[in-house]
Amino acid sequence: MPARRDAVPVELSSEPLSRLPGAGPRVVEKLAARGLLTVQDLWLHLPLRYEDRTAITPIRFLRPGVPAQVEGRVEAVERGFRYRPVLRVAVGDESQGTLVLRFFHFRAAQVAQFAVGARIRCYGTPKPGQNGLEIVHPSYRVLGDDDEVALGEALDPVYPAVEGIGPATLRKLIGLALDRLPDEAALELLPPAMLAGLGLPSLRQALLTMHRPPRDADIAALALGTHPAQRRLAMEELLAHHLSLRRQRLAMQRHGAPPLAGKGKLANALQKSLPFKLTGAQQRVYAQIREDLKRPSPMLRLVQGDVGSGKTVVAALAAMLAVEAGKQAALAAPTELLAEQHLANLRTWLEPLGVRVAWLAGKVTGKARATVLADVASGQAQVVVGTHALMQEAVTFRDLGLAIVDEQHRFGVHQRLALRDKGAGKDRVPHQLVMTATPIPRTLAMAAYADLDVSAIDELPPGRTPVQTVALSAERRPELVERIRAACAEGRQAYWVCTLIDDSEESGKSGQGWPGAGGGTRIEAQAAQTTFETLSTALPELRVALVHGRMKAADKQATMRRFKQGEIDLLVATTVIEVGVDVPNASLMIIENAERLGLAQLHQLRGRVGRGATASSCVLMYQPPLSMMARHRLATMRQTNDGFVIAEKDLELRGPGELLGTRQTGLAAFRVADLARDAALLPQVRTLADRLLADDPVAADRVIARWVGGAARYASA
Ligand code: ADP
Ligand code: MG
């Protein structure tokens, strides 16, 4: 069997386009600018839609908005000039119908073609005009009286445009590329029996169907992307990406890692000293981590846990296993605020056990920095907490056994890798634990994290009352001020979150502003400043304070600390408080312009309240009128507090790209697959991958080569 495969596919598919007849250097250059380099790239340049020229529709049966092909004779021609030149051609047929073809751009030669009585065949979408239906700029041809012009056998593909190449040329080139498709057996890399079982066609069949759908093809399914031919292609593409992640995982596991297999004395002591008992979910995930760490190959585990599910303590327990084994552990968080909170927690928990915790962030400079770096290098520092500063080159560990990355989606792939590379060197890497409070749906996790084991802390610590969420129009702001007054009078604390209100920052297409990002911070800070002043005046009896991203880190931190200690009643903040901040006495949160935020971010923000035993509420304030999407999002927030449910909804509403953060760089590059649409294929993809890796690893590598190629993004991830 392998002999047969070696004979053709990869080489053929990578045939350069310059070999196609008619593809001169200029055309090849234009195609390359669009990323189309090989014959295979043209196979995969799939039509956007189709035009049906397989039948002629009698003019009387035309319906507005429904594209159709008609044939008739020119009955009248009128050249006019209303604001701009216009050519109107009336065409009639045996059905006694009349259709007007209207042109705004035309050449004299064209006018001459439309002699009264000339036979015309044209295609387009009719719409109501002044005198019945008309088609603006139809595609057409003039036929001789005796011409027998056959109707199309297949639907006509309309391809995504390639700049500088006309649609007809592009269609011709793709046709030539398709003529070079090898036969079924030579092209196929997947076990045919398995495909048949799934009701999917061969790759050759799928490609031919996509480019030349037969007259009776299910156009509706093609438009929706659910046609078996599309699912077949999506399946192979998803499989390729999945396999490439699995291969990376295998490569990573070929490195050694220090087995951390102590008795767990430090970890047990930590558990005993905690003022609470671990939840069942925490215990389960900790046990999984403990098993992983005993092995001489690196742990590659992602812990997903909703906000407030208690991931930090699980990370701390894992770190104790490393320390007990005489190794170091590092914990990196994406923001200084969050890292400092981890530092405070870890110092409280670990220092009584005699474990030395060091701190490294960007603002640690000069002599202090030199000291920390020396402690990290000598092993004096057993646990090192910090921001991305931990990942810088100057930081050398004596023996890093465990690298923990919190809110991993906030880091770039490269940053995470940098920490991994700080292992004991040569062929040893540290165990890796990544944590996220932005759960992604299970199906998606399979695609995005095929290189990781995934655990979920799917249970909140006991005694939390679910946050009550309401949506309120901004007009009712005065009521909210009273509500804050009342809550604070009872000794509770509140957040007022200001989000970006600058329209230029809102990415118009997706409708997803992402406050707190880039240039938005300044405007956001201004909005918060104004709100801070207004609320301070309206609530003179309260201690009101402000935090935003433009403040000095030290000031921000001091304010957060005072809030945490109960010295501030109302904290006006920008989305800097989003990640991980923990103040159990805060029980009321108001989010301005909530309609502009994505579900994941709203959920993160809301997770700042409901951390203590008091009943908490979250008010989503919006500017009417609400778009459909925004209405949906706010309704979802009111209906559920479950991060996993919200993630599913988020996937549905805005697709996988944004959900995956930095991971999207790889996943957004799909040519055919669409994770939201094709998520149902993922379990099959996984089964198929298992089978291929076991039975035919050569085919697995070919699938990767065919779809993912040597793309650098995967080589290093
Ligand atoms: P997250 O998963 O969002 O990072 P944290 O680790 O910050 O959550 O934990 C949230 C809060 O819950 C912290 O105050 C933490 O001390 C507390 N906590 C963690 N585990 C438990 C538990 N099993 N019982 C009670 N409180 C817990
Ligand atoms: Mg956390």
Side-chain angles (χ1 to χ4, degrees):
M1 274 227 320
R4 186 207 68 202
R5 288 211 184 94
D6 287 341
V8 207
V10 175
E11 297 68 31
L12 181 73
S13 55
S14 60
E15 185 176 359
L17 287 176
S18 53
R19 300 240 191 99
L20 290 183
R26 214 189 55 87
V27 166
V28 167
E29 193 181 306
K30 301 279 183 203
L31 290 168
R34 181 65 199 273
L36 302 170
L37 305 171
T38 64
V39 168
Q40 173 182 282
D41 289 332
L42 287 188
W43 298 342
L44 295 174
H45 194 70
L46 298 178
L48 282 176
R49 57 189 172 82
Y50 302 92
E51 292 178 350
D52 185 356
R53 290 188 180 80
T54 62
I56 304 265
T57 306
I59 291 176
R60 242 158 51 91
F61 295 157
L62 288 177
R63 281 186 292 139
V66 181
Q69 176 168 253
V70 301
E71 190 178 312
R73 292 191 182 270
V74 173
E75 292 179 341
V77 181
E78 179 189 292
R79 265 181 92 164
F81 195 95
R82 207 178 300 137
Y83 310 111
R84 51 182 169 161
V86 61
L87 174 68
R88 293 162 38 109
V89 178
V91 176
D93 70 359
E94 279 158 14
S95 74
Q96 309 291 317
T98 301
L99 171 71
V100 173
L101 311 181
R102 187 197 284 268
F103 299 85
F104 296 107
H105 314 282
F106 50 92
R107 281 167 278 120
Q110 264 176 304
V111 181
Q113 286 180 312
F114 292 121
V116 170
R119 196 175 150 212
I120 305 282
R121 190 182 281 182
C122 68
Y123 180 93
T125 306
K127 49 181 201 182
Q130 286 154 328
N131 313 305
L133 291 177
E134 62 179 42
I135 300 181
V136 177
H137 285 270
S139 68
Y140 72 92
R141 59 200 283 197
V142 179
L143 306 177
D145 280 351
D146 305 322
D147 286 352
E148 286 289 338
V149 185
L151 291 169
E153 284 293 320
L155 304 180
D156 290 341
V158 179
Y159 290 105
V162 173
E163 208 184 308
I165 298 185
T169 309
L170 184 60
R171 217 171 312 142
K172 200 179 114 227
L173 289 169
I174 292 174
L176 289 168
L178 289 173
D179 292 343
R180 296 165 108 82
L181 268 179
D183 69 49
E184 203 136 281
L187 190 64
E188 195 59 63
L189 295 172
L190 309 186
M194 183 128 185
L195 287 172
L198 295 169
L200 296 176
S202 71
L203 181 59
R204 182 182 156 90
Q205 197 49 52
L207 286 170
L208 289 175
T209 305
M210 291 304 295
H211 287 281
R212 300 166 176 165
R215 200 188 303 208
D216 58 355
D218 185 346
I219 298 227
L222 283 169
L224 286 172
T226 55
H227 193 283
Q230 276 152 318
R231 289 199 296 126
R232 164 60 224 252
L233 297 175
M235 162 82 94
E236 187 169 323
E237 182 169 37
L238 291 170
L239 177 69
H241 284 257
H242 182 90
L243 285 170
S244 98
L245 287 171
R246 294 270 290 265
R247 277 259 183 268
Q248 271 166 44
R249 180 188 167 87
L250 292 172
M252 178 71 79
Q253 283 180 327
R254 276 199 285 274
H255 293 285
L260 308 176
K263 290 217 180 71
K265 268 163 68 185
L266 274 173
N268 290 344
L270 169 57
Q271 277 200 60
K272 284 213 192 75
S273 73
L274 292 171
F276 50 77
K277 209 173 145 299
L278 295 186
T279 62
Q282 284 171 320
Q283 283 173 24
R284 190 186 69 236
V285 172
Y286 170 53
Q288 288 167 341
I289 292 173
R290 211 173 152 184
E291 281 310 307
D292 289 349
L293 293 179
K294 284 181 185 159
R295 304 210 179 96
S297 63
M299 167 170 78
L300 300 166
R301 186 169 289 278
L302 168 74
V303 173
Q304 299 198 64
D306 215 340
V307 277
S309 61
K311 293 183 290 296
T312 319
V313 71
V314 173
L317 289 166
M320 289 310 89
L321 296 174
V323 172
E324 182 179 340
K327 314 283 171 194
Q328 292 166 292
L331 168 56
T335 66
E336 209 149 87
L337 211 58
L338 185 55
E340 287 184 31
Q341 187 175 286
H342 284 328
L343 178 72
N345 277 328
L346 293 188
R347 285 208 159 131
T348 312
W349 290 336
L350 306 187
E351 284 181 350
L353 308 177
V355 174
R356 289 176 305 269
V357 182
W359 167 243
L360 188 60
K363 71 176 182 200
V364 180
T365 52
K367 226 172 142 199
R369 182 178 158 85
T371 309
V372 178
L373 289 181
D375 286 351
V376 174
S378 70
Q380 184 76 6
Q382 293 165 294
V383 175
V384 191
V385 181
T387 56
H388 52 266
L390 280 179
M391 297 157 181
Q392 285 159 359
E393 237 172 277
V395 185
T396 324
F397 288 80
R398 187 181 65 83
D399 193 356
L400 182 61
L402 171 64
I404 308 169
V405 178
D406 195 14
E407 303 295 343
Q408 62 91 25
H409 59 288
R410 295 254 167 158
F411 285 101
V413 173
H414 297 293
Q415 290 174 313
R416 266 187 290 134
L417 292 176
L419 198 52
R420 175 198 76 188
D421 292 341
K422 294 196 179 295
K426 289 158 284 202
D427 50 352
R428 288 224 308 196
V429 298
H431 294 281
Q432 295 153 57
L433 176 63
V434 296
M435 308 196 287
T436 178
T438 312
I440 64 172
R442 259 181 55 77
T443 46
L444 209 49
M446 266 190 232
Y449 300 126
D451 53 338
L452 297 171
D453 295 306
V454 180
S455 323
I457 305 188
D458 48 8
E459 179 186 354
L460 291 183
R464 308 250 173 98
T465 17
V467 180
Q468 283 289 333
T469 303
V470 293
L472 268 194
S473 154
E475 289 150 19
R476 295 174 62 183
R477 187 183 290 253
E479 289 170 39
L480 290 177
V481 173
E482 288 318 307
R483 215 160 140 180
I484 292 173
R485 201 191 304 278
C488 294
E490 287 176 22
R492 285 184 277 137
Q493 292 164 279
Y495 291 101
W496 186 294
V497 183
C498 300
T499 64
L500 192 61
I501 43 165
D502 172 31
D503 278 307
S504 64
E505 192 67 18
E506 199 186 28
S507 73
K509 273 172 233 108
S510 64
Q512 296 289 334
W514 197 255
T521 32
R522 186 177 52 81
I523 303 155
E524 206 179 53
Q526 269 168 11
Q529 178 70 36
T530 311
T531 307
F532 166 70
E533 284 159 19
T534 321
L535 289 173
S536 305
T537 315
L539 296 161
E541 76 275 29
L542 297 188
R543 296 161 299 175
V544 187
L546 173 67
V547 283
H548 59 67
R550 313 254 311 166
M551 282 164 62
K552 280 212 199 94
D555 296 344
K556 215 160 56 185
Q557 196 54 37
T559 307
M560 284 310 301
R561 193 171 301 117
R562 279 166 52 224
F563 187 63
K564 205 162 174 165
Q565 287 164 356
E567 293 162 19
I568 291 167
D569 303 300
L570 171 61
L571 186 66
V572 178
T574 60
T575 48
V576 295
I577 57 150
E578 182 191 348
V579 210
V581 181
D582 190 35
V583 182
N585 188 47
S587 64
L588 174 60
M589 168 170 286
I590 290 150
I591 304 176
E592 283 201 75
N593 301 305
E595 79 279 10
R596 309 218 166 184
L597 301 190
L599 279 174
Q601 198 180 19
L602 285 171
H603 182 63
Q604 283 285 313
L605 284 170
R606 179 172 63 180
R608 302 306 108 219
V609 293
R611 301 191 141 233
T614 13
S616 299
S617 36
C618 176
V619 179
L620 305 173
M621 212 175 14
Y622 62 85
Q623 297 287 345
L626 283 179
S627 69
M628 273 295 278
M629 276 285 271
R631 202 180 290 275
H632 249 88
R633 284 200 297 269
L634 297 186
T636 304
M637 290 301 293
R638 278 189 282 119
Q639 285 154 10
T640 182
N641 277 298
D642 184 330
F644 285 91
V645 174
I646 287 175
E648 294 280 356
K649 204 72 196 167
D650 217 6
L651 173 63
E652 200 180 293
L653 290 178
R654 60 174 182 164
E658 303 224 22
L659 276 184
L660 295 172
T662 51
R663 283 255 169 177
Q664 71 180 323
T665 43
L667 289 169
F670 287 133
R671 303 180 192 217
V672 183
D674 170 337
L675 279 178
R677 186 188 72 197
D678 300 323
L681 294 173
L682 291 168
Q684 291 158 9
V685 164
R686 188 177 207 154
T687 318
L688 205 49
D690 289 341
R691 227 172 107 171
L692 218 50
L693 285 172
D695 298 352
D696 196 348
V698 177
D701 284 340
R702 295 206 148 179
V703 172
I704 297 173
R706 176 182 279 167
W707 291 88
V708 185
R713 59 174 189 264
Y714 278 99
S716 63

